[in-house]
Amino acid sequence: MRKPTAICSISKRWGRWRVVRHRLSAGLILMVLSTEPAVAGPSPIHPDFADTAILAQLPNVRVDTAQPPSSPEALARQVRDYIQQARSTGDPRFIGYAEGILSPWPENRMTDELRVLRATLYQSQHKFDKARTDLRPVIQQGHGPQRLQALLTLANVQTVQGRYDQARTACQQLQQAMPGLIAQSCLALVDARTGQASEAYEKLLAGYRQARGAATAEQLWALGTLGDLAAQLDNDKAEQYWREVLLSNPDDLYIRAELADWYLQHHRAQPVLALTRGYEKVDSLAVLRAIAMRRLDHPDAASLVQRLRERFSEARWRGSMLHKRDYARFQLHVENNPELALEFALANWKTQREPPDTRLLLLAARDAGQTERSRPVRQWLARHHQTDARYPGDTP
């Protein structure tokens, strides 16, 4: 399922969020978020930056909050608009604006559309149980586009958390209600995570080739999934699929990060600089850029690394380190601190079990000389028959 990327560390109580995947298919708004686990913040630390230091320069945005929405339809439009602006700008303040106008809305006036949007916001805040609570009545009693959206969002939450049986059920329900590339991609990803990666890839590829008349959004969704499955199988086609997505949608930060990470894994640091140029405020892309710069001995590496240190230090000081994968990766590949990387990778993996999360944990455990701490993860992978070429010592 789509795995949106991290956004820059900002002093908001919901922490950093992962970018919205926004697709339109037969009138269906596909907004799927994936987040890292919400765990207790670390012990207070002393920041190594001055009180007056500028850690991030936010874009100048204008928000109309003078007149709150008076109808559920108007409220939904504004919340959707904020989510879309957050996705396209990488500015998490828009998530706060959406939450601010939705939170006061009376519960007895909640519509299916508002519940789905609220579940999206809950997911961005790592409140997975609350997200599921909002989605289930829409799935059980709703109809039309909102039920489809709820099914896809639920499938994503379950897949990201490694709850594959529940994810498959949601994907199957989606397939019954709306056959096509979206549902095929949903099922393919679950199959790939449970021991059928090659079969899932070939089946989805065949479906993609047959669905030439499908909407562009559906085709891009399937291409993104094909890239994920190809990477799992160590198939070089992953690069082609992800580049095709970015050609049509350069603002897809998730795919941009996936492709950059793929290049680094294949010892191709130079293309990462082009992919991440101008995205230094997006944590996942900034960390990948820093890794590439270090490998290339880039003259600007030290400056970017220092900015990231200050950014992460500020987030830890505020107790807002909700997005732990980027910090763990930064510690492992930039700071050369596998022990600290392992601590954050383990905390992240408690509820975030996508292949990049698993790979990072296994690498950190290996480099820290603490492979016994990754034994439960290996056992979990074995139970689900999950293999991935990206895992150290693993083959598909």
Side-chain angles (χ1 to χ4, degrees):
M1 206 52 62
R2 286 294 183 274
K3 193 153 179 29
T5 44
I7 304 302
C8 62
S9 170
I10 303 295
S11 308
K12 298 288 186 181
R13 70 178 178 83
W14 57 86
R16 287 159 308 184
W17 66 292
R18 287 185 178 272
V19 73
V20 182
R21 299 305 309 278
H22 187 81
R23 298 282 187 262
L24 294 176
S25 174
L28 174 62
I29 298 177
L30 303 174
M31 293 180 296
V32 182
L33 286 84
S34 166
T35 50
E36 311 239 345
V39 298
S43 301
I45 64 174
H46 298 290
D48 54 3
F49 49 87
D51 292 343
T52 57
I54 298 175
L55 302 180
Q57 187 69 42
L58 293 172
N60 186 18
V61 297
R62 302 175 66 180
V63 181
D64 181 13
T65 57
Q67 185 63 41
S70 58
S71 69
E73 295 77 16
L75 176 60
R77 282 195 300 271
Q78 193 161 353
V79 171
R80 284 199 310 271
D81 182 61
Y82 285 149
I83 292 175
Q84 172 61 18
Q85 290 185 71
R87 180 196 69 85
S88 61
T89 66
D91 186 348
R93 288 181 295 174
F94 287 110
I95 294 296
Y97 302 148
E99 182 187 31
I101 63 172
L102 184 55
S103 294
W105 194 258
E107 191 67 26
N108 60 5
R109 296 186 64 193
M110 290 292 292
T111 63
D112 283 352
E113 185 173 18
L114 291 176
R115 289 187 184 281
V116 171
L117 290 169
R118 188 168 66 180
T120 298
L121 295 175
Y122 279 145
Q123 189 180 1
S124 75
Q125 300 168 64
H126 315 147
K127 300 175 182 177
F128 298 115
D129 289 338
K130 286 188 174 183
R132 278 186 278 263
T133 297
D134 263 342
L135 293 170
R136 280 172 179 143
V138 180
I139 292 171
Q140 294 169 359
Q141 305 165 20
H143 55 84
Q146 297 311 317
R147 181 172 183 271
L148 298 177
Q149 175 64 74
L151 282 168
L152 183 59
T153 304
L154 181 62
N156 181 73
V157 170
Q158 308 289 36
T159 302
V160 165
Q161 294 197 284
R163 301 170 58 157
Y164 299 122
D165 289 342
Q166 297 92 326
R168 189 185 305 279
T169 297
C171 292
Q172 290 171 340
Q173 290 178 289
L174 181 64
Q175 186 180 50
Q176 293 171 0
M178 190 187 74
L181 285 177
I182 300 294
Q184 291 175 41
S185 299
C186 186
L187 284 166
L189 207 56
V190 176
D191 288 342
R193 301 291 188 258
T194 52
Q196 303 175 63
S198 296
E199 298 87 341
Y201 172 77
E202 294 297 337
K203 187 175 181 179
L204 181 58
L205 181 59
Y208 172 77
R209 288 171 173 169
Q210 293 171 4
R212 297 191 180 277
T216 301
E218 289 188 68
Q219 293 179 8
L220 291 178
W221 188 280
L223 276 173
T225 305
L226 283 169
D228 190 312
L229 303 188
Q232 183 175 345
L233 294 165
D234 198 25
N235 184 334
D236 288 345
K237 283 283 190 179
E239 178 184 9
Q240 173 188 325
Y241 298 137
W242 284 333
R243 282 205 167 277
E244 286 187 45
V245 175
L246 290 177
L247 189 63
S248 296
N249 185 12
D251 289 335
D252 194 325
L253 302 184
Y254 167 68
I255 295 296
R256 188 171 291 275
E258 288 290 280
L259 180 56
D261 194 19
W262 187 87
Y263 280 137
L264 288 176
Q265 292 172 37
H266 289 78
H267 311 289
R268 296 172 62 185
Q270 194 64 46
V272 176
L273 298 186
L275 273 174
T276 58
R277 185 178 298 116
Y279 292 93
E280 290 85 351
K281 294 176 183 176
V282 181
D283 280 355
S284 60
L285 292 170
V287 170
L288 293 169
R289 184 174 182 82
I291 296 170
M293 283 182 163
R294 278 286 179 86
R295 292 184 182 180
L296 295 168
D297 292 324
H298 195 283
D300 295 334
S303 175
L304 177 57
V305 168
Q306 183 58 30
R307 293 200 301 273
L308 283 167
R309 284 175 183 149
E310 293 170 349
R311 192 185 302 176
F312 286 130
S313 181
E314 184 265 355
R316 292 191 66 189
W317 176 66
R318 293 182 179 275
S320 59
M321 282 295 294
L322 298 180
H323 193 213
K324 294 179 168 51
R325 185 205 294 173
D326 294 330
Y327 186 64
R329 177 180 281 169
F330 180 73
Q331 290 298 323
L332 182 63
H333 296 300
V334 178
E335 300 286 45
N336 193 28
N337 189 344
E339 292 80 10
L340 185 56
L342 179 57
E343 295 304 321
F344 276 85
L346 285 165
N348 172 55
W349 199 82
K350 288 179 181 178
T351 56
Q352 184 87 1
R353 299 184 177 186
E354 289 270 83
D357 306 291
T358 301
R359 177 176 182 270
L360 181 60
L361 191 156
L362 296 174
L363 286 173
R366 182 196 67 186
D367 291 356
Q370 300 181 37
T371 54
E372 73 282 356
R373 300 186 69 184
S374 66
R375 186 175 296 113
V377 178
R378 289 287 187 186
Q379 293 172 343
W380 180 84
L381 291 171
R383 282 200 305 274
H384 292 290
H385 308 288
Q386 184 178 135
T387 61
D388 196 306
R390 294 167 287 190
Y391 298 161
D394 207 357
T395 55

